[in-house]
């Protein structure tokens, strides 16, 4: 992929842009730093300016020629740094991070992302929220770690004419082999036919969006690895089983119904990949029934087989270059169901780099990642009921769990459930803040 291609919107970018219309909510990625010392406003302002010079500060504009994809152009963020003077406690910090993620950051707005901070115990709590259509989680982490400004590619390769010709060429080249394969694949033909015949959603008033409850824990990384290997799995396999168990515990389903665990799979091969979103979410089928705390080998093999065939083609039902050339209504129908149509999403962000752990020149004692639907998830438009993020920070794993309150209750109830799940694996988990602070707050 050349730089000019990376600055064009791909199918995942476009799908996330449409999420607010299609699903009634937008996906937002939030990074949280717990810093052990107070951070001066001038240092936070310097970080805000640095981020504003990077890949987070760009907007999508329409191409001038038919057939060319929309492109990203640099843009100044008009959302200023937000500083709270009132110190946060364990009782008020959860509400504060929810307030930050709820601030609207619409696709057509010049308010591109939000950086906020407040005193917390002896130090600071910092929040960075970015719409998912502007960057996926790994792209956001790369943008935080970057120490040089972003530069939009220039020259003939970046022109709409070159883009339109390239798209047409790629569509022809990829579609030829695809059509040949399609002729011998009745299942795929039936899937595409059903997608095109699917009637539009009924124009009935949707249910009220539900804003998810949140629990954040840290677990010793060595103990996590020991537990996973002792059960015949990997760090990620254990994570997937924990995600499935939370759904098994609280989301009613027939015994014969399995669970769809969404696995976001990165398509990035290098840290300097400038695409906004370079991932696909693939559903792993797992058994329903009661929670399972036994062997992980079956889950490991199933996940390995699923991911072996996952790639950029997994986002759409037709080759992606062809997908971009289709009328909007056909493109909307011919996309694979994403994260919102799984029961639970389990996002593993890997190992935090020092450049991410150090924010505004200060090392954090913990960093968490959270993905949220804002203003909330509309239950009758999406299947998703919970979302988990795993992030290794130094010698600890940070696990963020969010769940629909209709199933998981308020944050105190969710904390208890997650703590019990960890204990069932023999893991000691420390919550980010005291759960007693949540007792009177409903999700």
């Amino acid at each position: 992929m050349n730089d000019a291609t990376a600055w064009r919107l791909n199918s995942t970018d476009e799908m996330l842009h449409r999420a607010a219309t299609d699903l009634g909510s937008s996906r937002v990625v939030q990074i949280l730093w717990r810093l052990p010392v107070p951070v001066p406003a001038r240092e936070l302002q310097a970080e805000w300016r640095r981020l504003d010079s990077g890949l987070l500060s760009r907007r999508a504009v329409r191409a001038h020629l038919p057939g060319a994809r929309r492109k990203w152009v640099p843009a100044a963020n008009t959302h200023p740094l937000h500083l709270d003077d009132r110190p946060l406690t364990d009782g008020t910090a959860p509400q504060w991070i929810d307030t930050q993620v709820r601030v609207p950051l619409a696709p057509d707005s010049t308010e591109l992302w939000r950086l906020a901070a407040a005193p917390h115990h002896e130090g600071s709590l910092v929040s960075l929220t970015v719409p998912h259509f502007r960057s996926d989680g790994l792209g956001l982490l790369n943008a935080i770690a970057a120490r040089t400004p972003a530069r939009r590619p220039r020259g003939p390769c970046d022109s709409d004419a070159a883009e339109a010709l390239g798209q047409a060429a790629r569509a022809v080249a990829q579609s030829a082999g695809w059509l040949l394969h399609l002729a011998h694949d009745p299942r795929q033909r039936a899937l595409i036919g059903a997608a095109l015949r699917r009637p539009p959603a009924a124009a009935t008033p949707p249910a009220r969006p539900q804003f998810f409850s949140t629990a954040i824990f840290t677990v010793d990384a060595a103990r996590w690895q020991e537990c996973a290997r002792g059960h015949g799995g990997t760090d990620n396999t254990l994570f997937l089983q924990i995600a499935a168990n939370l759904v098994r515990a609280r989301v009613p389903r027939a015994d014969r119904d399995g669970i769809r665990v969404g696995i976001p799979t990165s398509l990035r091969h290098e840290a300097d990949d400038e695409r906004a979103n370079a991932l696909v979410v693939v559903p792993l089928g797992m058994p329903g029934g009661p929670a399972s705390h036994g062997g992980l080998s079956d889950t490991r093999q199933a996940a390995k087989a699923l991911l072996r065939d996952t790639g950029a083609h997994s986002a759409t039902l037709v080759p992606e270059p062809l997908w971009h050339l289709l009328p909007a209504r056909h493109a909307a129908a011919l996309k694979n169901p994403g994260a919102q149509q799984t029961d639970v999403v389990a996002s593993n962000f890997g190992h935090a780099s020092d450049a991410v752990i150090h924010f505004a020149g200060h090392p954090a004692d913990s960093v968490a990642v959270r993905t949220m639907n804002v203003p909330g998830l509309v239950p009758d438009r999406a299947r998703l009921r919970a979302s988990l993020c795993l992030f290794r920070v130094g010698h600890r794993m940070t696990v963020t769990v969010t769940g629909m309150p209709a199933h998981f209750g308020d944050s105190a109830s969710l904390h208890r459930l997650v703590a019990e799940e960890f204990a069932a694996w023999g893991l000691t988990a420390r919550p980010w803040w005291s759960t007693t602070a949540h007792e009177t707050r409903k999700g």
Side-chain angles (χ1 to χ4, degrees):
M1 171 180 295
N2 59 37
D3 289 342
T5 302
W7 280 66
R8 296 282 176 171
L9 275 72
N10 59 36
S11 58
T12 304
D13 298 332
E14 294 289 6
M15 291 173 191
L16 288 165
H17 265 85
R18 287 184 55 86
T21 301
D22 296 342
L23 300 172
S25 66
S26 294
R27 199 76 168 156
V28 176
V29 184
Q30 184 177 36
I31 311 291
L32 297 164
W33 290 266
R34 284 195 326 192
L35 299 165
V37 297
V39 182
R42 67 180 183 278
E43 295 179 5
L44 289 167
Q45 190 64 57
E47 283 294 282
W48 186 98
R49 289 193 296 268
R50 185 180 68 83
L51 291 172
D52 195 38
S53 70
L55 291 173
L56 301 184
S57 288
R58 55 185 184 177
R59 60 185 179 86
V61 299
R62 188 179 302 277
H64 297 297
L65 291 179
R69 293 175 293 170
R70 292 200 297 168
K71 59 185 174 183
W72 296 105
V73 298
N77 181 23
T78 60
H79 203 309
L81 172 67
H82 180 81
L83 298 176
D84 279 313
D85 295 329
R86 180 176 297 180
L88 299 174
T89 65
D90 281 358
T92 60
Q95 183 176 0
W96 184 84
I97 67 170
D98 284 351
T99 298
Q100 307 316 309
V101 84
R102 277 182 156 128
V103 174
L105 298 168
D108 57 353
S109 170
T110 57
E111 296 182 326
L112 308 178
W113 45 270
R114 177 179 174 86
L115 182 66
H120 180 237
H121 294 305
E122 303 301 319
S124 301
L125 184 60
V126 178
S127 163
L128 174 63
T129 53
V130 180
H132 206 320
F133 62 77
R134 204 171 301 287
S135 179
D136 59 29
L138 290 181
L140 174 53
L141 295 173
N142 290 343
I144 293 168
R147 291 297 179 259
T148 57
R151 293 286 182 263
R152 178 189 166 193
R154 301 286 184 179
C157 290
D158 185 47
S159 69
D160 287 347
E163 162 64 15
L165 289 172
Q167 275 294 100
R170 288 189 292 270
V172 170
Q174 294 186 26
S175 296
W178 173 76
L179 287 170
L180 183 62
H181 174 78
L182 190 65
H184 298 86
D185 191 343
R187 179 179 174 276
Q188 187 68 10
R189 292 199 306 272
L191 188 64
I192 292 173
L196 292 173
R197 291 190 301 269
R198 188 178 298 120
T204 55
R208 183 178 63 86
Q210 294 196 30
F211 189 80
F212 282 18
S213 304
T214 298
I216 308 176
F217 288 86
T218 58
V219 181
D220 180 78
R223 182 68 190 98
W224 181 288
Q225 293 175 330
E226 179 184 342
C227 176
R229 291 168 184 167
H231 287 84
T234 63
D235 290 358
N236 199 52
T237 308
L238 175 58
F239 182 49
L240 295 175
Q241 192 69 268
I242 288 172
N245 279 343
L246 295 177
V247 173
R248 291 169 178 140
R250 288 294 180 89
V251 181
R253 62 202 328 103
D255 288 342
R256 66 180 180 278
D257 289 347
I259 295 170
R260 290 165 64 90
V261 180
I263 307 176
T265 304
S266 177
L267 303 177
R268 300 178 190 274
H269 300 296
E270 298 176 353
D272 59 355
D273 189 321
E274 295 182 321
R275 285 176 288 180
N277 286 275
L279 60 78
V280 291
V281 177
V282 291
L284 174 66
M286 297 182 67
S292 172
H293 302 96
L296 298 172
S297 58
D298 288 348
T299 301
R300 180 179 184 179
Q301 293 303 317
K304 185 177 181 180
L306 177 68
L307 297 177
R308 185 184 301 122
D309 297 325
T310 296
H313 61 278
S314 305
T316 57
L317 293 173
V318 299
E320 184 173 339
L322 175 62
W323 184 88
H324 284 285
L325 300 176
L326 295 175
R329 63 188 182 91
H330 290 148
L334 293 172
K335 62 182 183 181
N336 275 318
Q340 310 286 3
Q341 301 310 326
T342 60
D343 295 292
V344 57
V345 174
S347 304
N348 186 345
F349 291 93
H351 202 298
S353 67
D354 287 343
V356 170
I357 296 174
H358 286 71
F359 193 80
H362 302 278
D365 58 25
S366 191
V367 185
V369 184
R370 184 169 72 148
T371 55
M372 296 289 284
N373 282 73
V374 179
L377 188 138
V378 182
D380 58 355
R381 291 191 184 182
R383 179 172 173 169
L384 186 66
R385 294 298 180 263
S387 180
L388 284 75
C389 295
L390 178 67
F391 198 32
R392 178 163 178 171
V393 182
H395 299 296
R396 290 175 290 181
M397 299 289 200
T398 305
V399 184
T400 306
V401 182
T402 62
M404 184 174 283
H407 299 294
F408 296 94
D410 61 12
S411 291
S413 175
L414 181 60
H415 268 83
R416 288 192 292 270
L417 176 65
V418 177
E420 290 168 1
E421 174 63 20
F422 283 134
W425 292 100
L427 297 172
T428 300
R430 297 173 59 87
W432 255 35
W433 26 67
S434 170
T435 56
T436 58
H438 303 288
E439 293 296 342
T440 60
R441 182 169 176 265
K442 301 300 180 184

